[in-house]
Amino acid sequence: MPELSYLEAIRQALWQEMKRDERVFLLGEDIGRYGGAFGLTHGMLDEFGEERVRETPISEATIVATAIGASLLGMRPVAEIMFMDFILLALDQMVNQAAKMHFMFGGRTSVPMVVRMPGGSGSGAASQHSQSLESVLMHFPGLIVINPSTPYDAKGLMLSAIRNPNPVCFVEHKILYKTKGEVPEDDYTIPIGVAEIKRPGRDITVVANNIMVIKTIHVAEKLSKEGIEVEVIDPRTLLPLDTKTIIDSVARTGRLLVVHEACQTGGWAGEVIASVVGSPAFDYIDAPVRRLGGKDIPIPYNRGLEMAAVPQEAEIEQEIRALVGGKI
Amino acid sequence: MPVPFIMPKFDMDQEKATIISWSKKEGDFVKFDESVLTVETEKVAIDVPCPATGTLARILFKDGDVVPVTKVIAYILKEGETLADLPNADLPTPPSKPEVVPVSKPVAAPQAAPVTATPIAIRMAKEEGVDLSRVPASGDRITREDVERFISDQKSKGRVTVAATPAARRVARESGVALETVAGSGPRGRVQSVDVVTAAKSIPVPTTTVSGREAEIVPLTSIRRTIAERMQQSFQESPHIALTVEVDMTEAENTRKRFNTQVEKLGQPRITVTALMIKVVAWALVRNPYMNASFNGNSISLWKDVNIGVATAAPQGLMVPVLKGVDHLGVSEINMRLLDLAERARENKLKLEDVQGGTFTISNLGMFGIRQFRAVINPPESAILAVGSVVRQPIVVDEQDRVEVRPILSLTLSADHRVIDGIVAARFLSDLVVGLEAPSMLLL
């Protein structure tokens, strides 16, 4: 199977879907000649032309509003928000318009658009270009929030996102862009709202998203050599959240840790934990249920401080050891 | 003003109604026209619609009370209203002047002013077995709310305040281990499930000397506890009647022999008496649907499926694996399924679905030489058949008083008299006799 990077996998999904469906088009800042801030749309202007790869003014509200209008008229727009941090400028369009139209018009219309947005820290881009705002977007019914961790999931979920009739926030992670993995050339989709057990284990369930999945798997592989078996669950879609897979897992392992880069306070770990402790898995919980989120501070520019602001492998390992060893 | 909820008058000549049950309680949000209680007149049971939307407050009459029509039975608080908005006068017993009854105070507090209680508080205390002198009054009198708070405080004191994980609490519950006796191995002494499991294993050791007598104390296993609860519930709640018949098993034995000649040729296991018995019981159950039923309080379920449980001794205790849809199965199939279930019961490999869904049970102690016995019904079923031993004994076989030695089986049926009349049970047993004495009747 061909190996692609996370970035190439998303580009391949866009490319193939634009070939397959002429309603699909791209819009965003600098996505044409420049190929996008991370080069994700590189080459697409030459292939598909200015009609289908549209450069926009620097106005996120305009980008999302244009995508909404186009989708109402039967197109399948895929908009790029250069950094996830800027989605806040378009939040009114996203939340008060896109998320609600299907319901306020009695189901007679829908907004089948995808808004791509790279988030996350680790690139030295400082506070205004490094946030993980997926927990914010999860709070709005009517939206779908997708958050892939591997190239394979990124392509399959992007194809599902474009074909889904709802507005989708497709949250990418800029540090994952260069990670590689096997990606089939074919057209395949991954269902929205279905979590995946990335690694089975009997001792503790760790739920993590995007880059934290990769970090947790590294830790799990290390601990496995000592006989500690960590089950790693990647929700893949945060809204709707597949709580069943998580609840079933905790009922087996009796322990739960949720890891995310988003700030801990108000982060989606709280949502996962509340779902689990209120479920029948409660009677199987045998240790405190814990979360490990980003520190409640703006992401610093300083390299060392930036690393310290979000969970790293050492901290994940420490948390797992403490929970499994009965030390917390 | 809160809306008074008045006992309506349904019939021209109706004077009173009996409250069967409130479906809402105080503090519940209720909607206009929604049914909030059921009452019974001399003619019918009727759902009473709510007169307004709001919060149900001060229920003045409880389930079972007989209430004159047009009497206020509760109030509906509208938005913004509180209990303080309720009229003072409207308490149940003759209301011209609120009756105030002194309550004896313990000598420990002689200087306190004599405490009094409202009639409703007194009645409630009496019903709940609460000593009113121990109830603190929030105002100048002990009110119903004070008694309720006292009762709920007492209940919450029953909670075990031991640091333990949810899983440890569950294991303790299931294994009957007292959490407070378990040493926790977790941080700050927290009890974890592994601690309870260890404790449960070590418990059978103690021999205690209660009133000087030695006994080995065996903690209840989860299965023993379930059996105990279900048997007690069944024997207390369902009035058992028992009927016994004797069956000449000559023809049944002959039929079984003929079957066995055939199944042996096919290399199948030999047909047991129990398998044949199950087939005949299923046939008789189809003919007597009330035998294959459950009592629901206000209705009876006549089950469409005939699922027969067979009480089986297993190492961990009595198990009742269930054969599903028996009325559609042949004797040979019943026999094979039965052997499979019995084997899995002995090996403790029964799945949940193997022991669920029974509609009738057969219990056989014949192999121990028990001539006949009465079994306790396995709820929610309504009947159980106790199968005794087959004994060869002389009986009169024809009208010329000719005596022959025949294999005689004794069957005793225990039936829930709420569902099954004696005559229904008798018909069922007589069908069983027909089916066993002339198995070819099943072909009719």
Side-chain angles (χ1 to χ4, degrees):
Chain A
M1 204 181 291
E3 201 169 69
L4 292 184
S5 71
Y6 184 95
L7 180 139
E8 289 164 341
I10 296 170
R11 181 195 293 144
Q12 188 178 77
L14 296 174
W15 202 292
Q16 289 178 353
E17 196 63 0
M18 284 176 76
K19 288 279 182 202
R20 196 187 72 84
D21 184 347
E22 62 179 19
R23 296 173 302 170
V24 180
F25 73 99
L26 310 181
L27 70 165
E29 296 159 10
D30 289 339
I31 64 167
R33 196 61 56 210
Y34 185 58
F38 296 91
L40 195 139
T41 52
H42 181 76
M44 297 189 78
L45 177 65
D46 291 342
E47 179 71 20
F48 296 101
E50 288 182 354
E51 279 285 301
R52 299 185 70 193
V53 180
R54 304 182 77 103
E55 303 261 25
T56 65
I58 305 177
S59 168
E60 281 71 20
T62 305
I63 296 171
V64 174
T66 305
I68 294 171
S71 65
L72 286 173
L73 293 173
M75 301 298 284
R76 297 261 163 173
V78 181
E80 176 178 301
I81 300 296
M82 190 184 283
F83 287 86
M84 182 185 203
D85 312 68
F86 309 158
I87 191 65
L88 298 175
L89 286 157
L91 213 54
D92 178 63
Q93 291 299 322
M94 208 67 211
V95 173
N96 281 328
Q97 307 306 332
K100 298 187 171 51
M101 281 192 170
H102 177 71
F103 302 90
M104 294 189 72
F105 289 99
R108 289 198 292 180
T109 188
S110 58
V111 182
M113 68 167 184
V114 179
V115 181
R116 293 181 35 245
M117 49 190 104
S121 67
S123 67
S127 307
Q128 296 159 322
H129 299 74
S130 302
Q131 295 170 82
S132 298
L133 298 173
E134 51 271 21
S135 301
V136 175
L137 299 168
M138 275 177 80
H139 194 61
F140 302 113
L143 296 183
I144 287 174
V145 181
I146 291 176
N147 197 196
S149 66
T150 67
Y152 179 88
D153 287 352
K155 178 178 174 185
L157 284 165
M158 177 55 84
L159 291 176
S160 290
I162 299 174
R163 294 170 196 176
N164 191 284
N166 299 289
V168 177
C169 300
F170 198 89
V171 181
E172 299 160 11
H173 195 290
K174 43 179 102 66
I175 299 303
L176 287 179
Y177 275 150
K178 289 183 181 151
T179 57
K180 295 209 162 182
E182 290 187 340
V183 179
E185 183 82 34
D186 335 338
D187 184 317
Y188 68 95
T189 56
I190 290 173
I192 290 170
V194 179
E196 187 181 41
I197 297 174
K198 292 288 188 193
R199 188 181 194 286
R202 59 161 195 273
D203 295 321
I204 182 171
T205 300
V206 180
V207 181
N209 70 329
N210 62 49
I211 198 166
M212 294 302 155
V213 176
I214 311 303
K215 290 183 179 180
T216 305
I217 289 173
H218 285 164
V219 172
E221 281 162 359
K222 178 178 174 189
L223 292 174
S224 176
K225 297 192 185 101
E226 300 173 27
I228 299 174
E229 294 298 341
V230 179
E231 180 144 307
V232 184
I233 296 182
D234 177 1
R236 301 195 293 194
T237 307
L238 292 175
L239 185 68
L241 185 65
D242 177 6
T243 52
K244 183 178 183 301
T245 298
I246 299 168
I247 287 167
D248 290 349
S249 171
V250 176
R252 281 197 305 278
T253 64
R255 297 185 180 90
L256 173 64
L257 172 69
V258 188
V259 185
H260 59 55
E261 184 171 331
C263 294
Q264 179 149 307
T265 300
W268 60 266
E271 186 58 40
V272 170
I273 289 169
S275 301
V276 170
V277 296
S279 81
F282 177 79
D283 277 337
Y284 295 85
I285 295 169
D286 212 11
V289 175
R290 302 265 293 179
R291 58 182 171 165
L292 180 60
K295 305 276 189 301
D296 288 331
I297 53 165
I299 301 286
Y301 169 71
N302 174 286
R303 180 81 188 131
L305 292 178
E306 183 184 27
M307 296 271 286
V310 300
Q312 302 296 342
E313 287 179 23
E315 290 165 89
I316 299 172
E317 180 184 333
Q318 195 184 347
E319 276 288 324
I320 294 173
R321 282 186 190 280
L323 283 171
V324 174
K327 302 222 174 55
I328 298 182
Chain B
M1 272 289 288
V3 178
F5 195 151
I6 290 166
M7 175 61 82
K9 185 172 168 170
F10 297 102
D11 294 327
M12 289 291 286
D13 57 351
Q14 182 194 350
E15 289 175 2
K16 56 186 189 296
T18 306
I19 296 179
I20 299 177
S21 65
W22 284 89
S23 54
K24 299 283 179 179
K25 57 184 188 308
E26 285 184 347
D28 281 356
F29 181 75
V30 289
K31 288 208 279 269
F32 173 72
D33 213 27
E34 168 186 24
S35 165
V36 291
L37 77 159
T38 309
V39 302
E40 192 173 50
T41 69
E42 282 158 4
K43 295 175 184 162
V44 285
I46 303 169
D47 287 339
V48 182
C50 192
T53 296
T55 306
L56 188 60
R58 194 189 279 171
I59 293 179
L60 294 161
F61 295 92
K62 59 181 177 43
D63 299 358
D65 284 353
V66 179
V67 185
V69 295
T70 74
K71 186 111 187 149
V72 175
I73 55 173
Y75 288 89
I76 312 295
L77 298 176
K78 289 175 296 189
E79 206 178 343
E81 291 176 342
T82 66
L83 292 173
D85 295 306
L86 291 173
N88 287 328
D90 212 337
L91 289 168
T93 35
S96 55
K97 188 179 78 181
E99 185 185 356
V100 172
V101 184
V103 176
S104 62
K105 280 290 285 184
V107 276
Q111 74 277 35
V115 174
T116 55
T118 62
I120 197 162
I122 291 168
R123 193 181 67 194
M124 188 172 204
K126 199 172 158 192
E127 284 166 5
E128 302 283 342
V130 169
D131 176 2
L132 263 186
S133 63
R134 292 173 56 213
V135 179
S138 53
D140 54 347
R141 294 185 300 166
I142 298 170
T143 62
R144 183 239 292 266
E145 285 75 23
D146 295 332
V147 179
E148 281 173 345
R149 194 176 316 112
F150 180 80
I151 292 169
S152 97
D153 285 354
Q154 294 298 105
K155 279 186 187 148
S156 63
K157 279 180 188 151
R159 185 181 137 78
V160 182
T161 51
V162 171
T165 64
R169 289 181 192 277
R170 174 181 55 86
V171 176
R173 208 159 54 230
E174 288 171 358
S175 57
V177 171
L179 260 185
E180 53 275 47
T181 65
V182 180
S185 65
R188 297 177 298 284
R190 185 195 303 135
V191 181
Q192 295 170 309
S193 60
V194 62
D195 304 327
V196 186
V197 171
T198 312
K201 279 188 194 139
S202 64
I203 274 182
V205 188
T207 54
T208 182
T209 51
V210 177
S211 63
R213 294 190 305 162
E214 288 210 346
E216 184 190 350
I217 304 299
V218 184
L220 286 187
T221 59
S222 146
I223 183 166
R224 191 75 247 161
R225 184 180 300 273
T226 307
I227 293 172
E229 283 168 3
R230 290 167 64 89
M231 288 300 104
Q232 179 170 6
Q233 177 207 353
S234 171
F235 210 63
Q236 284 180 341
E237 286 181 8
S238 62
H240 284 51
I241 51 171
L243 293 80
T244 303
V245 284
E246 294 198 330
V247 191
D248 179 349
M249 291 294 279
T250 310
E251 259 317 295
E253 283 299 320
N254 288 340
T255 304
R256 195 165 72 93
K257 276 180 201 142
R258 283 197 295 276
F259 281 168
N260 277 336
T261 324
Q262 188 61 27
V263 295
E264 271 168 18
K265 280 185 200 155
L266 297 169
Q268 289 173 356
R270 291 173 59 86
I271 308 282
T272 61
V273 184
T274 312
L276 191 63
M277 176 80 65
I278 289 170
K279 178 68 194 172
V280 176
V281 168
W283 172 77
L285 286 174
V286 171
R287 294 163 66 91
N288 297 275
Y290 277 82
M291 300 301 304
N292 196 55
S294 292
F295 185 72
N296 311 324
N298 292 320
S299 63
I300 293 169
S301 301
L302 303 178
W303 300 112
K304 302 270 189 227
D305 298 331
V306 174
N307 301 338
I308 298 181
V310 182
T312 306
Q316 68 276 28
L318 180 77
M319 299 296 289
V320 187
V322 175
L323 285 143
K324 306 275 168 66
V326 194
D327 49 328
H328 302 299
L329 300 180
V331 177
S332 169
E333 180 66 25
I334 292 174
N335 193 50
M336 283 190 281
R337 292 195 190 184
L338 187 63
L339 288 172
D340 169 59
L341 285 172
E343 186 178 325
R344 287 196 284 129
R346 277 193 298 275
E347 293 172 359
N348 201 8
K349 283 184 182 160
L350 288 177
K351 294 186 223 121
L352 193 57
E353 64 255 34
D354 291 329
V355 293
Q356 284 179 333
T359 58
F360 186 91
T361 298
I362 296 176
S363 178
N364 186 349
L365 292 177
M367 58 292 232
F368 297 105
I370 305 298
R371 191 73 185 99
Q372 68 175 62
F373 65 103
R374 287 165 58 175
V376 176
I377 297 163
N378 186 17
E381 297 166 18
S382 294
I384 183 167
L385 186 68
V387 180
S389 57
V390 177
V391 176
R392 296 187 63 77
Q393 65 183 64
I395 57 161
V396 175
V397 294
D398 61 16
E399 284 167 11
Q400 281 73 51
D401 284 352
R402 199 157 52 83
V403 171
E404 273 187 21
V405 173
R406 293 278 178 90
I408 302 299
L409 169 67
S410 170
L411 295 176
T412 302
L413 177 79
S414 297
D416 183 343
H417 212 349
R418 294 174 304 179
V419 178
I420 297 164
D421 292 336
I423 194 163
V424 175
R427 272 198 205 112
F428 172 73
L429 277 181
S430 77
D431 280 341
L432 279 189
V433 173
V434 168
L436 287 168
E437 293 194 341
S440 57
M441 290 301 286
L442 268 65
L443 297 172
L444 194 64

